[in-house]
Amino acid sequence: MSDPSISLPPVAPPLPTTTAAASGVGGLTPSSDQIVAMAVIIFGFWNVPVVRNLINPLKLFTIGWHELCHISAAILSGGRILKITIDPHVGGATIVEGGHPGFVLSSGYIGSTLLGGAFVLAGWDTLVAKVLSFVLGVGLVMPLVLVRDKLTILLTICYEALLVGFWFVDHGQALRWYCLFVGVMKCILSQTNDSDATQFAILYPRIGAHIWAAFWIIFQLGCLVAFAVLGIFAFKLTGEQMNDQAASFLPT
């Protein structure tokens, strides 16, 4: 029989169990190392012979958007489109008559970087990735109007199938990584040839083409870093919260 004069220590209440989602780490989120790794992989795939053909659809989407920005800027500034070419290996070209040259030339880099930044941000939010997947789906198909290569057409179908399939992987979470990969590509490799830099040097002859090329490379890399930092600090949803939010838009 216990002695009532002896006080027993209070029993501590049970500690609440914290799940990964509740602690804020639910769902794998991109890191700076992963973005750098993606950039290295993309650069390798873009330049290595034979292997570079495997990403032709994504290259055409990247180059096609670059040229579309040129076209839009030319029309908005009163210019006229004379010719458009798109090639996954040598890049694209838009021949313009009239318009504002500086605005038309810079629009390709700026427009590509901004869209690429949006895709980078999608790496931190499933709902944003779902919305941008429609942009990517249409963007993969549109360049085929100017392309007749059978391998590229087949690969485009595969990339489209992959895009659709990712909607059903972990409630669309896989779309975030697809969009992030595309975003990094668009930010670092919006054009494969030096035509824009050369045209800038002709327009502003006091500055060489190599300086213009370096300027736009630094601009795009700086924007990539800025969008990645924005994604880290602006999107703080857990995996469970992202699933709940994404479920409001075409749940899977």
Side-chain angles (χ1 to χ4, degrees):
M1 183 174 180
S2 61
D3 187 353
S5 64
I6 300 176
S7 60
L8 298 176
V11 179
L15 296 175
T17 57
T18 58
T19 62
S23 61
V25 285
L28 189 62
T29 56
S31 66
S32 58
D33 291 341
Q34 290 165 334
I35 293 177
V36 172
M38 283 185 180
V40 173
I41 293 171
I42 290 168
F43 187 81
F45 268 80
W46 195 287
N47 293 281
V48 176
V50 181
V51 177
R52 63 188 180 188
N53 294 332
L54 298 177
I55 61 169
N56 272 358
L58 296 180
K59 291 167 70 175
L60 287 172
F61 173 54
T62 299
I63 297 169
W65 178 261
H66 184 103
E67 298 308 320
L68 181 60
C69 292
H70 284 317
I71 294 168
S72 301
I75 295 174
L76 289 174
S77 60
R80 187 165 65 95
I81 309 301
L82 301 180
K83 184 180 179 182
I84 305 169
T85 59
I86 296 178
D87 186 279
H89 303 307
V90 300
T94 300
I95 310 301
V96 177
E97 182 182 71
H100 191 284
F103 176 53
V104 174
L105 283 173
S106 60
S107 64
Y109 290 112
I110 295 175
S112 291
T113 304
L114 291 178
L115 183 63
F119 273 96
V120 169
L121 291 179
W124 279 269
D125 192 277
T126 306
L127 179 59
V128 177
K130 279 187 169 184
V131 173
L132 287 180
S133 69
F134 288 94
V135 177
L136 179 57
V138 175
L140 288 172
V141 173
M142 286 186 65
L144 296 183
V145 175
L146 301 175
V147 176
R148 294 293 180 269
D149 179 57
K150 293 182 179 179
L151 175 61
T152 300
I153 294 174
L154 178 62
L155 287 171
T156 300
I157 295 173
C158 293
Y159 276 97
E160 291 281 12
L162 193 64
L163 184 64
V164 173
F166 278 176
W167 268 77
F168 301 93
V169 177
D170 195 13
H171 304 289
Q173 291 274 355
L175 287 172
R176 296 192 293 119
W177 296 97
Y178 199 150
C179 288
L180 180 64
F181 186 85
V182 173
V184 173
M185 177 181 289
K186 292 189 72 61
C187 283
I188 65 174
L189 294 169
S190 69
Q191 186 75 312
T192 58
N193 56 30
D194 63 351
S195 60
D196 286 357
T198 302
Q199 291 301 316
F200 267 112
I202 295 173
L203 188 62
Y204 305 102
R206 292 186 179 182
I207 304 176
H210 62 288
I211 297 178
W212 280 112
F215 168 78
W216 287 113
I217 289 173
I218 294 172
F219 168 79
Q220 291 177 306
L221 291 177
C223 287
L224 173 60
V225 173
F227 278 111
V229 171
L230 179 61
I232 292 172
F233 288 99
F235 296 93
K236 296 182 179 295
L237 297 178
T238 65
E240 184 177 347
Q241 289 171 332
M242 276 194 288
N243 288 340
D244 292 339
Q245 182 191 63
S248 64
F249 180 73
L250 300 178
T252 54

